[in-house]
């Protein structure tokens, strides 16, 4: 449970950052410098080893606020140039999140006989293009006939809070599901980049929240998910609690896709 206590302190610090209101906290859009800061922060930058955005949090019942489960996981990413857009870049990612018991922290695989599967994204392909003072994004996910392309959008905002760079990433989802249903959800991510002079142990921080359909094993209706975390520079640096799960059960998630050819192969599955 040590990791969850650490994240609680981190979440409090992030809230304090978000409440700062100097004039530089206004979202003034992107320039060439903030574009590069974003790419380096989110992916490690061109030629770098993959980075690992680790986070923990809770999924709670709406509107009671009852904690349904703990959540732990990471998003790993690398950066490659966009072959179709000079000056553009593509983020190649994988995501894995698992549910844990609220009281014991044990891995949850089912509740009352209903399976509770990990959240697994085998890949996510995000194109980044600087368009004036806006960051244009195109997101690609899915396989076979369910490959989904979203965008182009220009919804990511950037600002300086003093000498701290802050990027806000809203994600709107509305896509068809089997059986004529639709997945409709909203997420928002806030990334904070602290200066080297801060002396902080972790200088790349994230806080995100989402409103999503409740997993059937946890109930019905809509639930609220909040997580906070920070960036690790290698898989081996991740906490053993999530690292061991990946090694033993999902070894492909030790690294993001190597290149666009790997994603193309995954899409054809």
């Amino acid at each position: 449970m040590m990791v969850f206590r650490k994240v609680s302190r981190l979440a409090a610090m992030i809230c304090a950052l978000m409440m700062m209101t100097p004039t530089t906290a206004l979202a003034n859009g992107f320039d060439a410098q903030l574009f590069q800061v974003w790419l380096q922060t989110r992916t490690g930058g061109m030629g770098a080893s993959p980075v690992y955005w680790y986070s923990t949090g809770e999924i709670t019942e709406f509107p009671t606020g009852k904690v349904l489960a703990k959540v732990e996981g990471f998003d790993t990413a690398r950066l490659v140039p966009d072959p179709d857009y000079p000056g553009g870049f593509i983020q190649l990612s994988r995501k894995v999140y698992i549910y844990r018991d609220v009281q014991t922290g044990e891995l949850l695989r089912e509740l009352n006989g209903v399976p509770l599967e990990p959240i697994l994204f085998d890949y996510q392909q995000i194109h980044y293009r600087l368009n004036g003072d806006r960051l244009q994004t195109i997101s690609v996910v899915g396989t076979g006939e369910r490959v989904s392309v979203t965008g182009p959008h220009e919804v990511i905002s950037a600002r300086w809070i003093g000498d701290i760079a802050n990027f806000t990433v809203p994600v709107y989802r509305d896509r068809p599901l089997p059986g004529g249903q639709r997945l409709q959800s909203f997420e928002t991510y806030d990334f904070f980049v602290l200066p080297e002079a801060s002396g902080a142990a972790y200088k790349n921080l994230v806080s995100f929240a989402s409103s999503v359909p409740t997993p059937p094993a946890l109930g019905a209706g809509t639930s609220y998910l909040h997580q906070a975390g920070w960036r690790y520079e290698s898989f081996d640096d991740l906490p053993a609690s999530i690292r061991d799960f990946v090694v033993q059960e999902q070894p492909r998630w030790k690294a993001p896709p190597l290149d666009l050819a790997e994603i193309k192969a995954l899409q054809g599955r």
Side-chain angles (χ1 to χ4, degrees):
M1 303 300 288
M2 179 64 73
V3 169
F4 287 98
R5 288 197 293 271
K6 182 185 293 184
V7 170
S8 295
R9 294 194 295 270
L10 172 62
M13 182 177 72
I14 288 175
C15 287
L17 286 172
M18 295 178 72
M19 292 174 64
M20 296 173 66
T21 55
T23 56
T24 51
L26 296 175
N28 293 321
F30 279 82
D31 56 19
Q33 179 189 10
L34 277 171
F35 183 45
Q36 291 302 316
V37 172
W38 168 251
L39 295 174
Q40 195 283 328
T41 299
R42 188 64 183 84
T43 69
M46 281 296 302
S49 298
V51 296
Y52 296 78
W53 283 93
Y54 171 81
S55 60
T56 65
E58 299 174 339
I59 183 169
T60 57
E61 184 180 68
F62 181 85
T64 67
K66 176 185 176 182
V67 180
L68 302 175
K70 300 284 189 180
V71 183
E72 177 186 21
F74 66 84
D75 172 326
T76 178
R78 73 169 83 242
L79 191 69
V80 299
D82 188 334
D84 300 320
Y85 193 93
F89 298 88
I90 304 176
Q91 171 187 315
L92 311 180
S93 297
R94 276 197 175 98
K95 301 180 181 182
V96 52
Y97 295 94
I98 57 177
Y99 298 97
R100 294 192 176 277
D101 184 86
V102 175
Q103 301 299 327
T104 68
E106 293 298 314
L107 176 64
L108 290 175
R109 299 181 184 275
E110 60 87 23
L111 280 176
N112 302 316
V114 181
L116 186 59
E117 301 290 343
I119 301 170
L120 298 171
F121 282 79
D122 207 348
Y123 83 89
Q124 187 175 24
Q125 174 182 324
I126 305 177
H127 298 244
Y128 296 121
R129 302 168 179 178
L130 189 60
N131 182 24
D133 65 350
R134 306 299 296 173
L135 179 60
Q136 186 178 97
T137 62
I138 300 172
S139 177
V140 185
V141 297
T143 60
E145 295 181 353
R146 296 182 63 189
V147 171
S148 172
V149 180
T150 305
H153 293 309
E154 296 181 354
V155 296
I156 298 179
S157 61
R159 63 184 61 77
W160 289 101
I161 306 175
D163 55 0
I164 298 169
N166 168 229
F167 304 93
T168 299
V169 185
V171 180
Y172 306 87
R173 289 197 176 95
D174 181 13
R175 65 173 65 115
L177 294 174
Q181 297 181 327
R182 300 192 70 84
L183 170 63
Q184 295 179 318
S185 66
F186 173 73
E187 303 174 5
T188 183
Y189 297 75
D190 267 290
F191 293 86
F192 298 89
V193 187
L194 278 59
E196 288 295 326
S198 69
Y202 302 105
K203 298 178 179 62
N204 297 283
L205 311 176
V206 66
S207 174
F208 64 93
S210 62
S211 176
V212 296
T214 304
L218 297 177
T222 300
S223 57
Y224 173 79
L225 172 66
H226 176 261
Q227 293 184 244
W230 54 91
R231 196 182 84 177
Y232 285 104
E233 306 306 310
S234 75
F235 178 79
D236 291 338
D237 291 337
L238 287 165
S241 53
I242 189 66
R243 189 178 66 240
D244 291 348
F245 170 82
V246 170
V247 169
Q248 295 165 15
E249 301 194 28
Q250 302 292 343
R252 190 159 66 241
W253 271 255
K254 291 173 66 176
L258 180 63
D259 50 30
L260 292 172
E262 181 177 345
I263 286 182
K264 188 174 181 62
L266 290 171
Q267 290 173 335
R269 291 170 51 182

